[in-house]
Amino acid sequence: MSGLFPVLVGERSALRFGGRELTYGQLGGAAGALAARVRDAGRVAVWATPELETAVAVVGTLLAGRAAVPLNPRSGEKELAHILADSAPTAVLAAPGAELPAALAGLPRIDVDAGAVGPVPEDDTTGSDPALVVYTSGTTGPPKGAVIPRRALAATLDALADAWQWTGEDVLVHGLPLFHVHGLVLGILGPLRRGGSVRHLGRFDTDGVTRELNDGATMLFGVPTMYHRIAEALPADPRLAKALGRARLLVSGSAALPVHDHERIAAATGRRVVERYGMTETLMNTSVRADGEARAGTVGVPLPGVELRLVEEDGTAIAEYDGETVGEIQVRGPNLFTEYLNRPDATAAAFTADGWFRTGDMAVREPDGCVRIVGRKATDLIKSGGYKIGAGEIENALLEHPGVREAAVTGEPDADLGERIVAWIVPADPQSPPAAGELADHVAGRLAPHKRPRVVRYLDALPRNDMGKIMKRALGEHA
Ligand code: MCA
Ligand code: AMP
């Protein structure tokens, strides 16, 4: 392999975070210097704040042939303890001055120096070597570490370059977090592999999008919540409409973008949002192509190199492209992860005997081959703000609160977040149930703020079937 980043020299802008910027030459120097410091490390954790240093840390780790474990800097103590015990990093890379929680105190800390200068090492790692371990929620239990090999990064980014006519001339703007595939792999490593530029907003807001698209940015990546907020802001903000109208490509992913938001954005800006479909374990599977017809409500066609099929409950593949027959999406290809770290059972369960990965997403194929996602197999997975959240891990956290006797967690439709997390609580003492805000803080502090319940409903008992299993569908009737 010629290396993941072919162009780490020259004066062209590689990364801009607010007022701080690195050219390709400077990025090569800083990442090269860091690579020399982590060459003998095992896996390294990266304290993934939305800053220049996170990008330098990940690029330097990859140049050294090591694997990076991005950490959500808002992770609560329980989540962080699990990730550290499971991934066993030998050091943590962080921006100088970043305050690290006590859970990280036992690890050697390496401050990332974005101004350092070192030689860019030869890239002698192979395609199957691990590049990233990204933690992702399942329906129950703590998150699992998806081990993403180097070849998957190259394969997915090159396939997207083909689908989106993505080149080194493109300037990407985004405000996504850097501890998931969307913001880190597509949003940072993507432009760097192409030799293009990325401007990160620090945090998403429509003013930042307007400013950057008016100042030469050509592409925007976001989750549906961000496009929903754009659609809401457009009627009162003609500058935003004009800026979006200038963009070459607006891309949405991580969850379904409602057709209503597609339509409002198209009507106000003349631009159609392109949807792509991916997953932490598979990176990107399908996309609407830049040279194809934009179609609201579909996620486009399989990317080059990705094999995709729809499968019935009994394992039979669906041959019809009839827009009606629903099956589970299964995929195969160089874009896939290799395993869940320390979880051979979960890895085995995720694949069919003949090597297809079971996504758990349900879809139909349109007559023109486009994939339309219609739902998910597991009702215990919630997509809120583009984050995948397992009901089980929140229930476990809630049950650790002394005021909670029983807990069940569901997702409810939400115009902004797609789904909002609802906690159904049987209080230990019905006379003084724990307040909703207290339970939200409890979950935010143990897991992560985006996993906190947005609504809490109190019940005398949870509806259960004869086997004692909670009937989540019946909970809706109590709303
Ligand atoms: C609020 N906050 C709290 C609490 N309440 N903190 C501690 N305890 C509390 N009780 C803080 C939050 O941390 C946050 O801080 C701020 O208050 C607002 O919180 P929240 O309301 O949750 O944020 P939001 O405005 O609703 O966020 C919307 C969002 C966000 C910006 C769209 O959901 C987001 O960034 N989503 C992106 C998800 C993503 O990247 N998914 C990719 C995974 P502060 O604002 O300072 O942070 S999927 C993937 O990778 C696959 C491969 C794919 O296909 O893409
Ligand atoms: P994650 O595990 O956080 O990487 O999220 C992956 C999941 O996000 C997929 O299995 C889908 O359910 C969902 N997803 C990603 N992109 C899209 C999209 N464009 N439309 C609908 N769902 C999506």
Side-chain angles (χ1 to χ4, degrees):
M1 187 188 294
S2 65
L4 284 167
F5 311 106
V7 254
L8 291 173
V9 289
E11 296 304 307
R12 204 179 143 74
S13 172
L15 300 164
R16 199 157 98 189
F17 282 72
R20 301 175 67 214
E21 186 163 16
L22 289 182
T23 64
Y24 270 92
Q26 290 167 332
L27 172 63
L34 183 69
R37 296 172 70 192
V38 300
R39 183 161 305 132
D40 299 324
R43 268 191 291 271
V44 294
V46 174
W47 190 244
T49 51
E51 292 177 280
L52 212 45
E53 282 77 6
T54 298
V56 172
V58 173
V59 173
T61 303
L62 293 174
L63 288 179
R66 300 284 160 239
V69 187
L71 301 178
N72 176 354
R74 289 184 176 274
S75 284
E77 65 225 55
K78 183 176 173 173
E79 182 166 290
L80 205 50
H82 163 69
I83 293 175
L84 294 176
D86 191 52
S87 63
T90 58
V92 55
L93 312 189
E99 221 177 283
L100 302 185
L104 286 162
L107 271 183
R109 171 180 179 146
I110 298 178
D111 274 332
V112 178
D113 180 357
V117 180
V120 176
E122 275 300 308
D123 187 351
D124 58 359
T125 55
T126 67
S128 58
D129 286 339
L132 298 172
V133 180
V134 179
Y135 278 80
T136 181
S137 292
T139 49
T140 56
K144 303 186 287 275
V147 179
I148 298 171
R150 301 168 72 88
R151 75 163 164 264
L153 299 181
T156 220
L157 295 175
D158 295 351
L160 291 176
D162 179 81
W164 297 342
Q165 301 171 354
W166 189 1
T167 72
E169 298 304 308
D170 279 305
V171 178
L172 172 69
V173 52
H174 81 84
L176 291 154
L178 301 186
F179 46 86
H180 276 310
V181 162
H182 194 168
L184 181 63
V185 176
L186 272 59
I188 299 289
L189 306 183
L192 297 181
R193 183 159 173 83
R194 300 273 74 80
S197 316
V198 51
R199 300 194 195 148
H200 195 279
L201 298 173
R203 56 177 301 151
F204 172 84
D205 68 28
T206 53
D207 287 342
V209 170
T210 304
R211 186 182 65 241
E212 298 304 336
L213 289 176
N214 274 333
D215 187 27
T218 63
M219 301 168 98
L220 172 68
F221 291 175
V223 294
T225 300
M226 296 173 179
Y227 284 102
H228 176 77
R229 291 179 186 181
I230 285 173
E232 292 281 294
L234 278 169
D237 191 349
R239 285 186 65 244
L240 175 62
K242 207 162 154 222
L244 290 166
R246 288 200 167 130
R248 187 180 77 74
L249 207 61
L250 308 174
V251 187
S252 174
S254 302
L257 181 64
V259 172
H260 179 55
D261 289 330
H262 266 288
E263 285 171 352
R264 290 196 290 171
I265 293 171
T269 70
R271 315 278 342 167
R272 298 204 155 267
V273 179
V274 158
E275 273 199 85
R276 90 316 176 267
Y277 157 64
M279 204 171 166
T280 304
E281 292 89 334
T282 65
L283 306 187
M284 295 303 116
N285 295 312
T286 71
S287 183
V288 171
R289 295 185 59 92
D291 57 2
E293 197 190 327
R295 295 245 271 101
T298 93
V299 293
V301 291
L303 289 165
V306 177
E307 288 180 86
L308 182 146
R309 67 180 191 184
L310 299 186
V311 175
E312 307 255 21
E313 201 67 54
D314 65 3
T316 344
I318 297 167
E320 294 84 10
Y321 284 14
D322 59 5
E324 275 175 26
T325 316
V326 177
E328 183 192 14
I329 302 176
Q330 297 187 349
V331 290
R332 231 166 33 176
N335 51 313
L336 262 55
F337 76 136
T338 41
E339 59 169 342
Y340 293 115
L341 196 63
N342 306 320
R343 294 292 305 274
D345 53 332
T347 308
F351 288 90
T352 65
D354 48 349
W356 293 82
F357 175 73
R358 310 171 202 268
T359 65
D361 292 311
M362 307 300 289
V364 301
R365 280 312 266 275
E366 297 290 351
D368 62 1
C370 280
V371 175
R372 186 156 55 82
I373 296 177
V374 296
R376 215 178 298 122
K377 245 179 157 172
T379 47
D380 274 351
L381 280 180
I382 299 162
K383 263 275 165 172
S384 188
Y387 288 111
K388 183 157 84 180
I389 303 161
E393 63 179 308
I394 307 175
E395 287 159 1
N396 291 340
L398 287 167
L399 287 169
E400 286 165 9
H401 188 285
V404 173
R405 193 168 77 212
E406 290 186 86
V409 165
T410 57
E412 223 171 54
D414 185 279
D416 181 46
L417 296 170
E419 287 182 283
R420 60 176 165 263
I421 297 171
V422 181
W424 304 82
I425 299 294
V426 179
D429 175 2
Q431 300 312 314
S432 63
E438 186 183 325
L439 293 176
D441 289 347
H442 172 80
V443 173
R446 293 187 76 65
L447 304 178
H450 66 264
K451 296 181 178 175
R452 71 189 190 277
R454 308 277 175 144
V455 178
V456 177
R457 299 213 173 93
Y458 302 91
L459 299 172
D460 296 333
L462 294 178
R464 291 180 188 271
N465 65 14
D466 295 344
M467 313 285 287
K469 192 172 175 313
I470 299 168
M471 296 189 296
K472 292 207 174 173
R473 284 185 211 287
L475 284 170
E477 293 156 19
H478 295 260

